[in-house]
């Protein structure tokens, strides 16, 4: 199936693309080639292939979310360059 320039204009209008006459001719050829590939795929017998939504075997690779004790406030603040009243002391970034 070869697309006509009018077909290409219609597709370009749907995609809100402005194309030149040279692009119209090139796109007609390229899109016709794409449609030929789809036609070849449609000819394949897929009756023995089960429908799939994902072609790769995906699995969750994250570890289980298990609650466990965290470091104490004293230990965490021991690494802080500045602290005040049990909190990190940081430089203000906004004018008050």
């Amino acid at each position: 199936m070869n697309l006509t320039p009018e077909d290409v204009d219609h597709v370009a209008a749907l995609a809100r693309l402005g194309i030149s006459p040279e692009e119209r001719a090139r796109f007609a050829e390229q899109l016709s080639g794409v449609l030929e590939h789809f036609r070849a795929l449609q000819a394949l017998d897929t009756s023995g292939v089960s429908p799939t939504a994902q072609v790769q075997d995906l699995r969750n690779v994250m570890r289980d979310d298990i609650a466990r004790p965290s470091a104490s406030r004293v230990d965490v603040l021991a690494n802080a360059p500045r602290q005040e009243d049990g909190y990190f002391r940081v430089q203000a970034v906004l004018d008050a």
Side-chain angles (χ1 to χ4, degrees):
M1 169 182 199
N2 287 330
L3 293 178
T4 66
E6 292 77 22
D7 294 331
V8 175
D9 287 339
H10 179 69
V11 172
L14 291 173
R16 306 262 194 262
L17 297 174
I19 58 174
S20 68
E22 297 81 23
E23 290 172 322
R24 183 181 302 121
R26 185 174 72 235
F27 291 157
E29 182 180 335
Q30 291 174 347
L31 291 172
S32 294
V34 170
L35 292 175
E36 287 301 320
H37 287 292
F38 280 117
R39 190 170 289 112
L41 290 173
Q42 285 179 325
L44 295 175
D45 178 20
T46 59
S47 58
V49 179
S50 60
T52 57
Q54 180 67 35
V55 295
Q56 296 178 340
D57 181 29
L58 297 179
R59 59 186 173 85
N60 190 354
V61 295
M62 298 172 64
R63 68 170 189 250
D64 292 333
D65 188 14
I66 300 171
R68 57 183 177 195
S70 62
S72 70
R73 181 185 295 238
V74 172
D75 291 338
V76 171
L77 288 173
N79 294 313
R82 296 186 322 184
Q83 55 177 302
E84 184 178 307
D85 298 327
Y87 297 98
F88 290 104
R89 174 79 177 161
V90 296
Q91 182 177 353
V93 293
L94 301 173
D95 292 330

